Amino acid sequence: MTGHQHLQELRLHVRQVRHEADDVVSIRFARRDDGELPAWEPGAHLEIRLPSRLIRQYSLCGAPDDRTGYTVAVLRAHDGRGGSAEIHDTALVGRELTVRGPRNDFPLLPAPSYTFVAGGIGITPILGMARAATSRSTAWSLHYGGRSARSMAFVPAIAELAAAAGAPVAVLPEDVHGLLDLDGIVAGAGDGGAVYACGPAPMLAALRTAVARRPDLTLHTELFTAPAPTPGDAAPHTAPDRHERDFTVVLAQTGETATVTDGCTILDAVRRLRPEVPYSCEEGFCGTCDTKVLSGTPVHRDTVLSENDRAGHTSMMICVGSCASDELVLDL
Ligand code: FES
């Protein structure tokens, strides 16, 4: 999720908010005039600016050939930062919201066959992918785990799709069946196929280990929640707002400067000057605050950038990063 793709900004009308499962609602957006929306591919997400101005990203889960609406599904995160609670608790139908996108960091690439693995709300991008695989006439299977049957969204849509495609689908609530048998799923994947998975970090980590034993497979993953904290995360040097020493951030477009001190993130400092700067998770995993670095030595603490991206020091997640030089010049 790097680079600075130009995202189109749209003002869209919330047409429907529907209960899909316990703690899951879907939201349908359309143009006020019901006009055609920009095309999107499975795996794409929308950035939504909520009435409180929080920005959140959600995978599109409707049918890509329906150009009159965008649908996203939102899980209420009980320990989240308020975005999902705002969606669940605010009467949004009839309101107009600003959305940016669609942007696709999780595209479905051609493959001889697909094995889809979804954990919980991670079903949202996978649902569109299963539809696309069906229309490409590529064989696919789906393994869908969740806390309990009541918490699992889109089961009827999946059953319908599976029947139409003749695809094997396993819907396995954890309270009845336990965790997904990832080793078994990987062992059963078609030769040379692609495994697409979206779900919580421990599921993706276990899947990575299982796929490592099958070099013929390619694994594509998307995390839908913050990586589980590791014990080291609590250490002062890795906290998002801890810095070895104070440094200056320069916003190159205006020449304004701000000092970043211990206890304040770069994002905090930037927001005082640019309240509209986009951000979402504030934990370094969503990529919304990806900012171009023009000079200075960023210290990366996100889970978005690859080692290669980091080596170039050309951009950083300012919600969690720090700086090893006296000055950091950002393209803002
Ligand atoms: Fe999500 Fe910075 S706000 S990575």
Side-chain angles (χ1 to χ4, degrees), residues 279-289 304 317 319:
Y279 68 97
S280 177
C281 69
E282 294 184 74
E283 290 174 13
F285 72 86
C286 75
T288 308
C289 69
V304 175
M317 301 310 134
C319 62

Short mmCIF file of all heavy atoms in Angstrom, two decimals, residues 279-289 304 317 319, ligand 1:
data_model
loop_
_atom_site.label_atom_id
_atom_site.label_comp_id
_atom_site.label_asym_id
_atom_site.label_seq_id
_atom_site.Cartn_x
_atom_site.Cartn_y
_atom_site.Cartn_z
N TYR A 279 -5.95 10.54 7.76
CA TYR A 279 -5.41 9.47 8.60
C TYR A 279 -6.58 8.60 9.00
O TYR A 279 -7.74 8.99 8.83
CB TYR A 279 -4.69 10.04 9.84
CG TYR A 279 -5.62 10.71 10.82
CD1 TYR A 279 -6.09 10.01 11.92
CD2 TYR A 279 -6.03 12.02 10.63
CE1 TYR A 279 -6.96 10.62 12.82
CE2 TYR A 279 -6.90 12.63 11.52
CZ TYR A 279 -7.36 11.92 12.61
OH TYR A 279 -8.23 12.51 13.48
N SER A 280 -6.28 7.44 9.51
CA SER A 280 -7.38 6.58 9.93
C SER A 280 -7.00 5.76 11.16
O SER A 280 -7.40 6.07 12.26
CB SER A 280 -7.81 5.68 8.77
OG SER A 280 -8.82 4.83 9.16
N CYS A 281 -6.17 4.72 10.98
CA CYS A 281 -5.98 3.76 12.08
C CYS A 281 -5.11 4.32 13.21
O CYS A 281 -5.25 3.91 14.35
CB CYS A 281 -5.36 2.48 11.55
SG CYS A 281 -3.64 2.69 11.01
N GLU A 282 -4.22 5.24 12.90
CA GLU A 282 -3.24 5.78 13.85
C GLU A 282 -2.39 4.69 14.49
O GLU A 282 -1.83 4.86 15.56
CB GLU A 282 -3.92 6.61 14.95
CG GLU A 282 -4.56 7.87 14.41
CD GLU A 282 -5.13 8.71 15.53
OE1 GLU A 282 -4.34 9.32 16.25
OE2 GLU A 282 -6.37 8.74 15.69
N GLU A 283 -2.30 3.56 13.83
CA GLU A 283 -1.49 2.47 14.36
C GLU A 283 -0.53 1.93 13.31
O GLU A 283 0.07 0.88 13.51
CB GLU A 283 -2.39 1.34 14.87
CG GLU A 283 -3.13 1.75 16.14
CD GLU A 283 -4.14 0.71 16.58
OE1 GLU A 283 -4.10 -0.41 16.07
OE2 GLU A 283 -4.98 1.06 17.43
N GLY A 284 -0.44 2.62 12.18
CA GLY A 284 0.56 2.23 11.19
C GLY A 284 0.21 1.02 10.36
O GLY A 284 1.10 0.36 9.83
N PHE A 285 -1.08 0.70 10.22
CA PHE A 285 -1.38 -0.46 9.39
C PHE A 285 -2.29 -0.19 8.21
O PHE A 285 -2.41 -1.01 7.33
CB PHE A 285 -1.94 -1.62 10.23
CG PHE A 285 -3.34 -1.42 10.74
CD1 PHE A 285 -4.43 -1.76 9.97
CD2 PHE A 285 -3.56 -0.90 12.00
CE1 PHE A 285 -5.72 -1.58 10.44
CE2 PHE A 285 -4.84 -0.72 12.48
CZ PHE A 285 -5.92 -1.06 11.70
N CYS A 286 -2.97 0.98 8.18
CA CYS A 286 -3.96 1.15 7.11
C CYS A 286 -3.40 1.85 5.88
O CYS A 286 -3.93 1.72 4.80
CB CYS A 286 -5.17 1.92 7.63
SG CYS A 286 -4.86 3.68 7.84
N GLY A 287 -2.33 2.63 6.03
CA GLY A 287 -1.73 3.29 4.87
C GLY A 287 -2.33 4.65 4.54
O GLY A 287 -1.86 5.33 3.63
N THR A 288 -3.36 5.08 5.24
CA THR A 288 -4.02 6.35 4.89
C THR A 288 -3.08 7.54 5.04
O THR A 288 -3.15 8.50 4.27
CB THR A 288 -5.25 6.58 5.79
OG1 THR A 288 -6.06 5.42 5.72
CG2 THR A 288 -6.05 7.79 5.35
N CYS A 289 -2.21 7.53 6.03
CA CYS A 289 -1.37 8.70 6.30
C CYS A 289 -0.02 8.63 5.57
O CYS A 289 0.88 9.39 5.89
CB CYS A 289 -1.15 8.86 7.79
SG CYS A 289 -0.09 7.57 8.45
N VAL A 304 2.97 -1.23 6.92
CA VAL A 304 2.48 -1.07 5.55
C VAL A 304 3.63 -1.23 4.55
O VAL A 304 3.53 -1.95 3.56
CB VAL A 304 1.86 0.34 5.38
CG1 VAL A 304 1.45 0.56 3.93
CG2 VAL A 304 0.67 0.51 6.30
N MET A 317 4.65 6.39 7.18
CA MET A 317 3.37 6.54 7.86
C MET A 317 3.63 7.47 9.04
O MET A 317 4.29 7.09 10.02
CB MET A 317 2.85 5.19 8.39
CG MET A 317 2.64 4.13 7.33
SD MET A 317 1.69 4.66 5.91
CE MET A 317 2.73 4.00 4.62
N CYS A 319 1.72 8.53 11.30
CA CYS A 319 1.00 8.30 12.56
C CYS A 319 1.86 7.55 13.57
O CYS A 319 1.60 7.63 14.77
CB CYS A 319 -0.30 7.54 12.33
SG CYS A 319 -0.07 5.89 11.63
FE1 FES B 1 -3.20 4.28 9.33
FE2 FES B 1 -1.21 5.98 9.59
S1 FES B 1 -3.28 6.36 9.89
S2 FES B 1 -1.14 4.01 8.75
#
